[in-house]
Amino acid sequence: MDIELSQCFIAVDDHDRALAFYRDVLGLEVRNDVGFEGMRWVTVGAPSQPDVNLVLEPPLADPNASPADKQAMAELLAKGLLRGVIFSTDDCDATFERIRAAGGDVLQEPIDQPYGVRDCAFRDPSGNMLRFNQPRNQ
């Protein structure tokens, strides 16, 4: 039996700003853009990984959620406490420079980590932490 990753989700508070970052800065392609009951889900992914999708979803994707719950999720998102994503790259330093030059919110400049990668970190426009890892043997 084979099990493969198909989709993962990351909360965003503004899909248009998120698209400007994930599509225009990171270079991910838009695969789907769906609205339902006043909410929106946008699926993006790397052209080199056609079977792996990152779904940009509302912070609380429940049309029946209470206003208090929606507010609590929005506050957690603003603090960067909901989710994070780790991308792999073949050139951490070049990736860092491209994202920084596009105005990315830098959390960590490229550094060699003791667990075998060189990585850097940014926050996306919604506050989520994104890390970019390069194995040090490359």
Side-chain angles (χ1 to χ4, degrees), residues 18 23 26 28 47-49 53-55 68-69 71 74 86 91-92 95 99 102 105 118 121 123-124 137:
R23 180 192 58 213
L26 299 186
L28 302 180
S48 61
Q49 291 182 299
N53 298 296
L54 179 62
V55 182
D69 287 346
Q71 180 63 34
I86 299 175
D91 189 335
C92 179
T95 298
I99 297 169
D105 182 7
R118 181 167 181 79
R123 289 218 185 275
D124 76 1
N137 62 0

Side-chain angles (χ1 to χ4, degrees), residues 105-109 119-123 129-132:
D105 182 7
V106 176
L107 290 178
Q108 175 200 299
E109 294 191 7
D119 75 352
C120 61
F122 291 86
R123 289 218 185 275
M129 182 176 62
L130 308 178
R131 299 191 77 81
F132 298 85

Side-chain angles (χ1 to χ4, degrees), residues 41-62:
W41 288 261
V42 178
T43 304
V44 296
S48 61
Q49 291 182 299
D51 296 331
V52 179
N53 298 296
L54 179 62
V55 182
L56 308 175
E57 68 172 350
L60 186 57
D62 179 354

